[in-house]
């Protein structure tokens, strides 16, 4: 959890945005985006900030889920593609949440060990301070051996 929780502060733009990882456990990640400095010119959360907090969950979840320092040493989490659907303007603190099932985690691990990459689809939900869904993302990620 510690490395995953520190993920946002290790990526300078996420740190500048004030992103905080609230939960990072096997198959589950939650992060929070503060309103400042992430508001746009008309006072709601900037679309790029919403995308960034959702996209980074793939890396956080990978670090918390897969043994990238042991069994999968030399593997890194990568995003291959991602889409976002904006549903309504976000006000206040935004929370982004994503999860993978135990079966999907086992499949990704097995694929990574067998082929040098394990690919997975991750859906994230973003809610604002009122608890309303403001956006959702679907991303294709990999844990992949580099080199």
């Amino acid at each position: 959890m510690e490395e995953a929780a520190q993920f946002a502060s290790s990526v300078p733009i996420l740190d500048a945005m004030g992103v905080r990882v609230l939960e990072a456990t096997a198959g589950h990640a939650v992060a929070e985006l503060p309103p400042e400095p992430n508001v746009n010119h008309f006072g709601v959360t900037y679309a790029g900030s919403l995308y960034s907090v959702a996209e980074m969950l793939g890396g956080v979840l990978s670090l918390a889920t897969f043994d990238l320092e042991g069994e999968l040493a030399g593997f890194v989490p990568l995003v291959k593609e991602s889409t976002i659907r904006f549903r309504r303007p976000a006000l206040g603190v935004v929370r982004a949440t994503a999860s993978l099932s135990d079966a999907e985690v086992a499949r990704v691990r097995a694929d990574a060990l067998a082929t040098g990459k394990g690919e997975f689809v991750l859906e994230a939900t973003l809610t604002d301070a009122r608890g309303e869904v403001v956006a959702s993302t679907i991303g294709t990620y990999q844990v992949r051996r580099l080199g």
Side-chain angles (χ1 to χ4, degrees):
M1 157 71 179
E2 188 171 321
E3 183 180 4
Q6 309 239 342
F7 182 84
S9 63
S10 71
V11 178
I13 191 64
L14 297 175
D15 193 40
M17 291 167 54
V19 172
R20 286 187 27 221
V21 174
L22 302 179
E23 296 177 41
T25 58
H28 185 72
V30 179
E32 191 172 81
L33 177 73
E36 293 295 334
N38 299 294
V39 293
N40 65 17
H41 57 288
F42 54 92
V44 299
T45 305
Y46 175 60
S49 296
L50 291 171
Y51 175 79
S52 294
V53 73
E55 182 278 327
M56 58 85 70
L57 290 177
V60 169
L61 188 138
S62 293
L63 291 169
T65 302
F66 304 106
D67 185 6
L68 302 181
E69 306 245 336
E71 178 181 56
L72 296 176
F75 284 70
V76 296
L78 300 171
V79 61
K80 286 184 64 179
E81 67 179 341
S82 181
T83 60
I84 188 165
R85 179 171 181 228
F86 299 103
R87 297 173 183 267
R88 69 188 67 220
L91 298 169
V93 174
V94 172
R95 183 171 285 204
T97 305
S99 297
L100 282 181
S101 69
D102 292 344
E104 184 67 352
V105 168
R107 184 199 59 78
V108 172
R109 179 187 163 273
D111 287 353
L113 289 169
T115 69
K117 64 182 173 184
E119 190 167 290
F120 59 96
V121 173
L122 189 64
E123 297 182 24
T125 301
L126 290 84
T127 54
D128 69 6
R130 298 174 297 202
E132 294 194 39
V133 175
V134 296
S136 57
T137 62
I138 299 176
T140 302
Y141 294 83
Q142 288 182 341
V143 286
R144 181 184 184 112
R145 186 184 339 256
L146 287 184

